[in-house]
Amino acid sequence: MDAGGAAPLRRREMAAAVSGAGRCRLSKVGAGRRPPPARVRVAVRLRPFVDGTAGADDPPCVRGLDSCSLEIANWRNHQETLKYQFDAFYGERSSQQDIYAGSVQPILRHLLEGQNASVLAYGPTGAGKTHTMLGSPEQPGVIPRALMDLLQLTREEGGEGRPWALSVTMSYLEIYQEKVLDLLEPTSGDLVIREDCRGNILIPGLMQKPITSFADFERHFLPASRNRTVGATRLNQRSSRSHAVLLVKVDQRERLAPFRQREGKLYLIDLAGSEDNRRTGNKGLRLKESGAINSSLFVLGKVVDALNQGLPRVPYRDSKLTRLLQDSLGGSAHSILIANIAPERHFYLDTVSALNFAARSKEVINRPFTNERQIWTTGARGPEEEEIGSPEPPAAPASASQKLSPLQKLSSMDPAVLERLLSLDRLLGSQGSQGTHGLNTPRRERMVLMKTMEEKDLEIKRLKMKQKELEAKVLAQEALDPKDKENSSPAILRPLARRTVTVAKPLKKAVVMPLQLSNKLCFCHSPPPPEEKAEDCWELQISPELLAHGRQKILDLLNEGSARDLRSLQRIGQKKAQLIVGWRELHGPFSQVEDLEHVEGISGKQMESFLKANILGLAACQRSGPS
Ligand code: ADP
Ligand code: MG
């Protein structure tokens, strides 16, 4: 049974489900909630016999059974056929509109939810990929139809008075012999494919043209396609040997608080022919091209297999094509693969191999999610600055209401706090309505949290000011009464600041500073100059003689002590004691305590803290009593 009769009914039903009067209504239902996993949808399109092609008079070797299945002759056993089932099967009589409405239009709505979508045309050269994707002026294919609808929808959804402002941009590239070439800017050469921290695939430097109407789209797309066609004439069918990728981005910005942003990407891909080039007798450049095509399509097959088997490593990076499709296969996109096949007998092996690839692909599970961001900062740094790698970012509609954002006050917020808030936001977003009860009101929670943060911020500022005041007071007192300073013990002078400041940060500052100063004075070999002496209270209580004595005692211990003796020193455990003994055996005695730094396993920092802990301690002991 041919699929042409039954299929339109089902397809029309599918289309009606999303389209209302022939046009799909985009809804934002599900945005913010974690969407369910979406299997890669696979449709097969069998083209009719084409006049003038070889074998046009032979009977077909493949035929449809119903709107989802088909059968093909079994070359091993002529009595049998091989049967395949897919999400949709489009027979010879299917129209361009059937394919578009049945398999492509339903996924477009996800773009307005900030999710990605992709359509891939797969199959051997001559099976109808370009016809399906591009078509002709009389029979426009998926690309013009999708663009027409998408632009119309963005105009409707983003019109004045609607909550979101929408903008659309397009990029067009081809992957030819593992080179990424910009068809809108052919001079840019081979471009690199990158992944951002959120797992989005980007091509820095790729031209992005803003489009607001179908005329805009044609203005950029037609010359770019001609670029490709010129190449094709020169290079003999280059176009069927490269993967053509049209990327359409739908950018959404919320007009009122909380000023969310969403980005949905649509990839429309006309893949290079999947025919087995070994059978075509290619040589020279053709052979090189075949190698590149075969390797990227071969890797595509491996990616599909790895995803199906749940392997931990999916070889996306093994080819440019799969790297680019990382979003679309097993990634974040709603994907549809249209496998194009031809009825002629000489296509038989390529048809079987395309059907097998398609059958494997339908097992791949994608996990689409909403690419949504919240704009926390407003003002000088525009939202477009957050975009990565887009040389021509779409013009951001500067909404007047943005200036009234209640979040504006937080623009000076500590980045660490901001980061925590953003992760909370992400957590809330991912949990959606199924989250913990307390998290069901994320916005209110967020506001409370932000208020607390603001208060904390103010408190820290207030304490910092207080600390500064106290320090200034101490310094002023020192300047006014230097004599008193000399006579007073540090326990009276410094601890004033230390005792008064009770919050962790300022306290640390008040205590650490004098110690650092005394380090400088204590650890120098020559006695410190008198003016420095007068500045520091710690230095006053430890005489250079005592320090030298302490230093000598430690040096003796380092040179003569056993590992056990060494452990009596501060900061020296069993391991370090053994290291010291080992070093001594190899290099002889230490000439000064600082030589400890040369012992492997003891860093300069550790040596300093060792000196601080031991020399000051010993010297202090000696000051308070006989050794
Ligand atoms: P591919 O891109 O896979 O190499 P094409 O799209 O160029 O194949 O198709 C090869 C030929 O078959 C073209 O002349 C095209 O017009 C024709 N063709 C393909 N599919 C159809 C179809 N469904 N109906 C009519 N003609 C078709
Ligand atoms: Mg083609």
Side-chain angles (χ1 to χ4, degrees):
M1 187 173 83
D2 184 81
L9 178 65
R10 187 176 159 271
R11 288 192 290 272
R12 267 194 297 276
E13 280 166 9
M14 285 170 74
V18 290
S19 57
R23 190 170 295 288
C24 73
R25 303 288 322 155
L26 296 189
S27 77
K28 296 203 173 61
V29 177
R33 257 183 261 145
R34 180 191 277 178
R39 193 169 52 72
V40 169
R41 317 287 295 174
V42 178
V44 171
R45 183 183 198 184
L46 171 65
R47 74 153 166 74
F49 283 99
V50 179
D51 289 342
T53 52
D57 303 325
D58 296 340
C61 65
V62 55
R63 67 170 179 199
L65 295 173
D66 56 38
S67 63
C68 292
S69 46
L70 71 148
E71 65 176 355
I72 182 166
N74 186 349
W75 60 278
R76 286 198 185 88
N77 181 350
H78 293 284
Q79 311 301 314
E80 283 181 4
T81 57
L82 301 167
K83 293 188 177 61
Y84 292 85
Q85 186 156 27
F86 297 100
D87 295 295
F89 170 73
Y90 300 98
E92 306 89 306
R93 288 200 289 272
S94 306
S95 68
Q96 300 280 61
Q97 172 63 15
D98 288 338
I99 281 97
Y100 174 69
S103 290
V104 179
Q105 197 182 37
I107 64 170
L108 293 184
R109 70 189 166 88
H110 298 297
L111 288 162
L112 273 78
E113 290 165 357
Q115 298 183 3
N116 296 343
S118 52
V119 183
L120 297 100
Y122 182 91
T125 301
K129 297 181 297 296
T130 306
H131 179 79
T132 298
M133 294 306 287
L134 213 54
S136 57
E138 302 77 43
Q139 296 180 57
V142 162
I143 289 178
R145 284 169 196 271
L147 261 295
M148 196 96 83
D149 266 4
L150 208 54
L151 286 161
Q152 171 70 25
L153 285 160
T154 51
R155 267 195 301 274
E156 283 169 17
E157 293 285 319
E160 282 297 313
R162 303 303 300 263
W164 296 80
L166 275 80
S167 58
V168 182
T169 60
M170 64 167 281
S171 302
Y172 191 25
L173 63 96
E174 68 174 341
I175 302 178
Y176 177 66
Q177 291 195 31
E178 286 302 275
K179 288 193 183 76
V180 177
L181 307 170
D182 192 339
L183 288 168
L184 294 177
E185 192 61 64
T187 50
S188 12
D190 187 13
L191 300 170
V192 286
I193 302 174
R194 293 205 193 288
E195 186 176 353
D196 74 7
C197 55
R198 290 178 296 156
N200 294 322
I201 296 297
L202 324 156
I203 304 180
L206 181 69
M207 180 58 75
Q208 269 183 275
K209 296 275 190 196
I211 47 172
T212 53
S213 63
F214 191 74
D216 266 356
F217 165 71
E218 280 191 319
R219 193 158 50 83
H220 301 305
F221 185 78
L222 295 179
S225 302
R226 274 197 292 277
N227 279 342
R228 214 173 160 228
T229 321
V230 169
T233 341
R234 201 163 0 110
L235 292 171
N236 185 15
Q237 282 197 342
R238 166 173 157 174
S239 65
S240 68
R241 306 192 169 272
S242 72
H243 310 288
V245 180
L246 176 68
L247 167 61
V248 182
K249 273 192 201 166
V250 179
D251 191 72
Q252 295 185 77
R253 282 146 204 261
E254 203 170 21
R255 291 199 162 102
L256 294 170
F259 304 110
R260 284 169 295 169
Q261 286 185 5
R262 289 176 183 167
E263 185 190 85
K265 283 191 298 185
L266 171 67
Y267 283 114
L268 296 162
I269 306 173
D270 183 356
L271 289 168
S274 66
E275 65 275 10
D276 183 347
N277 285 278
R278 281 168 303 187
R279 279 187 280 112
T280 57
N282 285 329
K283 288 194 186 99
L285 179 63
R286 289 283 81 75
L287 194 65
K288 200 174 159 209
E289 284 174 354
S290 307
I293 294 165
N294 281 346
S295 73
S296 56
L297 287 177
F298 175 65
V299 176
L300 183 63
K302 284 206 300 183
V303 164
V304 166
D305 288 344
L307 289 167
N308 286 345
Q309 291 161 29
L311 297 183
R313 184 186 173 268
V314 182
Y316 291 115
R317 286 168 187 262
D318 290 4
S319 83
K320 294 278 170 72
L321 173 71
T322 48
R323 184 78 172 124
L324 192 68
L325 292 182
Q326 192 167 330
D327 276 356
S328 314
L329 288 169
S332 63
H334 295 266
S335 298
I336 167 101
L337 180 98
I338 305 175
N340 291 85
I341 54 172
E344 292 91 0
R345 276 172 177 269
H346 64 270
F347 273 95
Y348 178 79
L349 282 178
D350 290 324
T351 303
V352 172
S353 109
L355 289 173
N356 285 338
F357 175 78
R360 276 146 60 207
S361 301
K362 71 180 183 178
E363 306 302 329
V364 174
I365 305 281
N366 281 0
R367 294 193 185 277
F369 57 85
T370 297
N371 293 318
E372 187 174 285
R373 281 175 293 164
Q374 193 108 23
I375 311 176
W376 294 94
T377 54
T378 55
R381 190 170 177 267
E384 63 271 22
E385 286 173 55
E386 289 169 28
E387 298 286 334
I388 310 160
S390 51
E392 196 178 295
S399 162
S401 52
Q402 248 171 304
K403 292 188 192 102
L404 303 172
S405 166
L407 307 177
Q408 208 164 11
K409 276 181 274 168
L410 299 170
S411 58
S412 60
M413 188 180 269
D414 184 331
V417 175
L418 190 61
E419 185 47 44
R420 280 181 58 195
L421 283 171
L422 286 172
S423 20
L424 176 71
D425 189 45
R426 277 194 291 273
L427 180 75
L428 292 168
S430 68
Q431 295 206 345
S433 62
Q434 287 151 23
T436 343
H437 182 67
L439 298 179
N440 276 347
T441 50
R443 205 159 150 234
R444 208 179 323 144
E445 291 263 328
R446 275 206 301 263
M447 298 313 282
V448 171
L449 199 69
M450 283 185 297
K451 202 155 175 258
T452 318
M453 291 299 173
E454 254 187 309
E455 280 166 4
K456 287 253 150 63
D457 216 25
L458 280 173
E459 200 184 326
I460 289 171
K461 265 190 200 150
R462 195 174 51 76
L463 287 166
K464 274 185 182 167
M465 296 257 295
K466 204 165 176 189
Q467 184 204 349
K468 271 191 188 152
E469 269 171 32
L470 285 165
E471 280 174 2
K473 238 187 212 173
V474 171
L475 285 173
Q477 202 177 337
E478 281 177 5
L480 275 176
D481 201 357
K483 215 175 155 205
D484 187 35
K485 182 195 163 194
E486 251 177 59
N487 294 334
S488 64
S489 83
I492 299 167
L493 192 66
R494 285 289 172 185
L496 176 70
R498 272 183 271 168
R499 250 192 264 132
T500 320
V501 181
T502 49
V503 170
K505 224 175 171 180
L507 175 69
K508 208 171 170 186
K509 216 171 172 183
V511 172
V512 168
M513 272 180 64
L515 268 175
Q516 281 168 344
L517 193 53
S518 67
N519 288 350
K520 194 173 76 180
L521 297 171
C522 293
F523 302 142
C524 56
H525 298 297
S526 54
E531 63 276 13
E532 272 187 54
K533 260 183 160 184
E535 274 173 32
D536 186 70
C537 59
W538 286 96
E539 192 271 341
L540 281 174
Q541 56 180 324
I542 305 165
S543 78
E545 288 79 18
L546 282 179
L547 283 174
H549 189 82
R551 185 185 282 281
Q552 189 55 49
K553 276 198 79 172
I554 290 169
L555 191 61
D556 292 346
L557 200 55
L558 287 177
N559 285 331
E560 281 149 34
S562 65
R564 199 177 164 168
D565 297 337
L566 288 169
R567 284 178 62 191
S568 66
L569 287 166
Q570 297 285 327
R571 307 266 198 277
I572 300 291
Q574 175 70 20
K575 200 175 150 202
K576 285 209 176 75
Q578 279 169 354
L579 286 172
I580 293 169
V581 172
W583 192 90
R584 205 169 64 195
E585 277 165 13
L586 266 179
H587 302 277
F590 294 90
S591 54
Q592 52 176 6
V593 272
E594 279 81 359
D595 282 350
L596 261 185
E597 197 181 349
H598 303 310
V599 177
E600 218 180 289
I602 299 183
S603 66
K605 218 170 165 188
Q606 284 172 329
M607 189 275 292
E608 263 180 40
S609 104
F610 167 82
L611 286 176
K612 234 189 263 176
N614 290 286
I615 297 186
L616 283 179
L618 276 175
C621 284
Q622 302 219 345
R623 190 175 60 85
S624 57
S627 63

